[in-house]
C-alpha cells in the first residue's frame, strides 16, 4: 500500500469522523491509527528470522570474473515486501525465486589471489503494507582465488637450477641412459643436444630434490607476486617430472607436503591459500641438505638457524634476498610483471 496511500485513507477517515460524526467513521479512524503498530513489530520480528547464505565458486583464478550468489530465506519471507540485498553497496544483477527462497546473483572480478572476502551483505525489506523499512547486516564469508602462471617452464627451471648447484639446466627431468632403461623413455630433446643418450627421469616417491616454501602475505600485491611465482615454479618442476616438497606455516604449526602430481600441487596450494600465514621457515623441520626456494614478502623473515634457503622477496630492497622485487622475480620466471 505504501505510506502515501495510508495517509490518504487516514485523512479521509478523519474527515468522515469530523464531518458526519458517525460511529463507523470513528472505528475506521481507530483501526487505521493503530494498524501500523502490529505491522511494525511483525516486520521487525519476521526480519530477525531471515538468513542469508552467500558463496562464491569452489575456487577461481586471478583475473577471472566470479559469480557470487546470495540465498535469502526465512519462514515469513513471502509476507515481507520488497526484499533487497546489497553486496558491498552494489545491487544484484539478477535473481530467481526458488523453493528455498530468493537467490540473488552478483558478478565480481577476482583481482587478487588468496582468501577473497565476498563482501558486506546488507539486506533490506518492508512490512506487508510497505509502511516501515528495515535493514540488517550479515557476516561475510570468503572463497579461494588461485594465482596465475607466468613466464615459461624453461626459465623457471633455469632459476631453480642455481639452487641445486647444477650447471646443466637441461638435466632437470632427465638422467643418462643406463643398460636396462626403457628405450621408450628416451628424452629426445635433450639427447639431440648432447653426445650421450638421456632418458626421462622418474624419481622415487621419497626423493624430493628441492623445497618450495612460501608465506601468505596480507598485502594483496605482495601476495599476488608470491602466489604467481609459487604456482609457476611448481608447474615447472612437475613438467620436468621432478617431485618436490611444499612448506608453509599455519596458525596450528608448520605444514610440509610431498608433491608428485598436478592434483597434489593444486591440493597443497589450496591448503596454503586457505590457512597459510607468514613465517614459513621459523619452526621448520626441513632437512638443511635439500635446496629451499623461499618466497616471502618480508625483507628479513625469521628462519630456523639450521636452514639456508634462497630467498625470493616480493618486496623491493631486500638485502638478504637472492631476488628482490616483483620485477626481478617475474624476470627470473621468464615473464613480465
Amino acid at each position: 500500500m505504501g505510506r502515501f496511500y495510508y495517509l490518504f485513507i487516514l485523512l479521509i477517515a478523519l474527515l468522515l469522523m469530523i464531518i458526519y460524526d458517525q460511529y463507523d467513521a470513528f472505528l475506521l479512524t481507530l483501526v487505521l491509527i493503530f494498524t501500523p503498530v502490529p505491522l511494525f513489530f511483525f516486520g521487525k520480528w519476521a526480519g530477525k528470522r531471515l538468513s542469508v547464505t552467500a558463496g562464491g565458486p569452489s575456487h577461481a583464478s586471478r583475473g577471472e570474473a566470479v559469480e557470487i550468489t546470495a540465498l535469502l530465506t526465512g519462514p515469513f519471507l513471502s509476507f515481507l515486501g520488497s526484499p533487497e540485498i546489497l553486496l558491498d553497496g552494489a545491487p544484484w544483477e539478477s535473481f530467481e525465486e526458488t523453493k528455498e527462497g530468493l537467490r540473488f546473483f552478483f558478478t565480481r572480478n577476482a583481482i587478487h589471489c588468496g582468501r577473497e572476502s565476498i563482501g558486506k551483505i546488507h539486506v533490506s525489506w518492508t512490512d506487508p503494507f510497505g509502511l516501515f523499512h528495515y535493514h540488517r547486516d550479515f557476516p561475510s564469508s570468503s572463497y579461494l582465488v588461485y594465482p596465475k602462471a607466468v613466464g615459461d617452464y624453461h626459465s623457471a627451471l633455469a632459476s631453480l637450477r642455481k639452487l641445486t648447484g647444477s650447471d646443466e639446466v637441461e638435466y632437470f627431468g632427465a638422467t643418462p641412459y643406463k643398460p636396462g632403461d626403457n628405450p621408450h623413455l628416451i628424452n629426445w630433446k635433450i639427447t639431440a643436444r648432447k653426445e650421450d643418450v638421456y632418458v626421462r627421469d622418474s624419481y622415487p616417491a621419497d626423493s624430493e630434490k628441492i623445497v618450495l616454501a612460501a608465506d601468505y602475505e596480507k598485502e594483496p600485491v605482495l601476495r599476488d607476486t608470491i602466489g604467481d611465482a609459487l604456482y609457476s615454479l611448481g608447474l615447472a618442476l612437475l613438467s620436468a617430472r621432478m617431485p618436490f616438497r611444499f612448506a608453509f606455516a599455519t596458525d596450528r604449526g608448520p605444514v610440509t607436503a610431498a608433491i608428485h602430481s598436478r592434483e597434489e600441487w593444486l591440493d597443497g596450494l589450496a591448503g596454503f591459500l586457505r590457512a597459510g600465514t607468514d613465517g614459513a621457515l621459523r619452526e621448520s623441520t626441513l632437512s638443511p641438505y635439500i635446496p629451499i626456494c623461499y618466497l616471502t614478502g618480508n625483507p628479513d623473515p625469521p628462519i630456523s638457524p639450521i636452514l639456508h634457503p634462497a630467498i625470493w622477496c616480493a618486496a623491493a630492497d631486500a638485502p638478504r634476498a637472492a631476488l628482490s622485487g616483483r620485477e626481478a622475480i617475474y624476470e627470473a620466471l621468464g615473464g613480465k610483471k
Side-chain angles (χ1 to χ4, degrees), residues 39-40 42-43 79-82 125-134:
L39 285 177
F40 172 80
F42 171 77
F79 295 98
L80 302 180
S82 305
W125 69 96
T126 66
D127 65 273
F129 292 97
L131 299 181
F132 302 100
H133 296 270
Y134 311 87

Side-chain angles (χ1 to χ4, degrees), residues 282-323:
R282 179 189 289 113
E283 300 176 359
S284 177
T285 57
L286 295 172
S287 170
Y289 303 106
I290 300 179
I292 302 174
C293 180
Y294 182 19
L295 296 106
T296 179
N298 186 351
D300 189 21
I303 300 175
S304 173
I306 66 172
L307 300 180
H308 303 281
I311 300 174
W312 289 18
C313 183
D317 300 326
R320 296 178 56 189
L323 292 176

Side-chain angles (χ1 to χ4, degrees), residues 52-57 65-72 84-95 102-109 118 120-123 143:
V52 175
T53 304
V66 176
E67 183 180 75
I68 297 174
T69 61
L71 179 63
L72 181 64
E84 295 281 347
I85 290 183
L86 296 178
L87 188 63
D88 272 345
W92 47 267
E93 298 171 6
S94 62
F95 84 100
L102 297 177
R103 191 181 303 275
F104 298 84
F105 298 90
F106 305 83
T107 301
R108 294 289 183 270
N109 291 323
I118 287 179
K120 181 180 179 181
I121 303 174
H122 181 83
V123 179
Y143 59 96

Side-chain angles (χ1 to χ4, degrees), residues 4-308:
F4 174 78
Y5 296 105
Y6 169 76
L7 293 175
F8 180 73
I9 295 175
L10 180 60
L11 179 61
I12 293 177
L14 289 173
L15 290 175
L16 291 174
M17 183 181 69
I18 294 173
I19 295 175
Y20 297 102
D21 194 22
Q22 293 183 352
Y23 183 69
D24 292 342
F26 174 73
L27 291 179
L28 176 62
T29 302
L30 288 179
V31 170
L32 289 174
I33 291 176
F34 289 104
T35 294
V37 176
L39 285 177
F40 172 80
F41 288 104
F42 171 77
K44 195 170 184 179
W45 176 75
K48 290 182 178 180
R49 282 152 180 79
L50 292 175
S51 62
V52 175
T53 304
S58 59
H59 70 270
S61 296
R62 191 165 73 85
E64 292 182 349
V66 176
E67 183 180 75
I68 297 174
T69 61
L71 179 63
L72 181 64
T73 59
F76 305 99
L77 181 60
S78 58
F79 295 98
L80 302 180
S82 305
E84 295 281 347
I85 290 183
L86 296 178
L87 188 63
D88 272 345
W92 47 267
E93 298 171 6
S94 62
F95 84 100
E96 64 178 5
E97 295 186 14
T98 65
K99 294 181 179 180
E100 296 83 7
L102 297 177
R103 191 181 303 275
F104 298 84
F105 298 90
F106 305 83
T107 301
R108 294 289 183 270
N109 291 323
I111 300 175
H112 302 291
C113 69
R115 301 183 285 268
E116 190 71 13
S117 173
I118 287 179
K120 181 180 179 181
I121 303 174
H122 181 83
V123 179
S124 61
W125 69 96
T126 66
D127 65 273
F129 292 97
L131 299 181
F132 302 100
H133 296 270
Y134 311 87
H135 63 85
R136 280 183 64 189
D137 291 329
F138 287 83
S140 176
S141 59
S142 62
Y143 59 96
L144 297 184
V145 178
Y146 279 68
K148 63 180 182 180
V150 296
D152 59 85
Y153 294 166
H154 186 277
S155 298
L157 291 174
S159 298
L160 289 177
R161 177 260 306 170
K162 299 176 182 178
L163 305 182
T164 65
S166 172
D167 294 330
E168 299 288 347
V169 64
E170 293 90 353
Y171 283 14
F172 270 118
T175 57
Y177 176 83
K178 300 184 297 294
D181 286 343
N182 188 345
H184 295 289
L185 297 179
I186 294 177
N187 191 322
W188 294 107
K189 184 176 180 180
I190 296 178
T191 299
R193 299 178 183 178
K194 304 296 179 181
E195 296 180 356
D196 298 324
V197 178
Y198 287 83
V199 293
R200 293 193 298 271
D201 199 357
S202 180
Y203 291 99
D206 59 348
S207 62
E208 295 82 15
K209 300 298 183 182
I210 195 169
V211 175
L212 299 181
D215 286 344
Y216 186 94
E217 294 293 337
K218 296 181 180 179
E219 176 62 36
V221 176
L222 297 178
R223 188 168 65 247
D224 290 342
T225 303
I226 294 172
D228 292 350
L230 179 66
Y231 184 44
S232 303
L233 290 174
L235 292 180
L237 289 170
L238 293 175
S239 73
R241 300 169 61 87
M242 186 175 184
F244 62 95
R245 282 196 170 273
F246 177 42
F248 61 94
T250 68
D251 290 335
R252 297 184 177 181
V255 174
T256 59
I259 307 299
H260 302 87
S261 66
R262 184 183 179 92
E263 291 72 21
E264 290 179 347
W265 181 220
L266 292 178
D267 289 342
L269 198 61
F272 168 69
L273 296 176
R274 185 177 297 110
T277 60
D278 57 1
L281 300 182
R282 179 189 289 113
E283 300 176 359
S284 177
T285 57
L286 295 172
S287 170
Y289 303 106
I290 300 179
I292 302 174
C293 180
Y294 182 19
L295 296 106
T296 179
N298 186 351
D300 189 21
I303 300 175
S304 173
I306 66 172
L307 300 180
H308 303 281

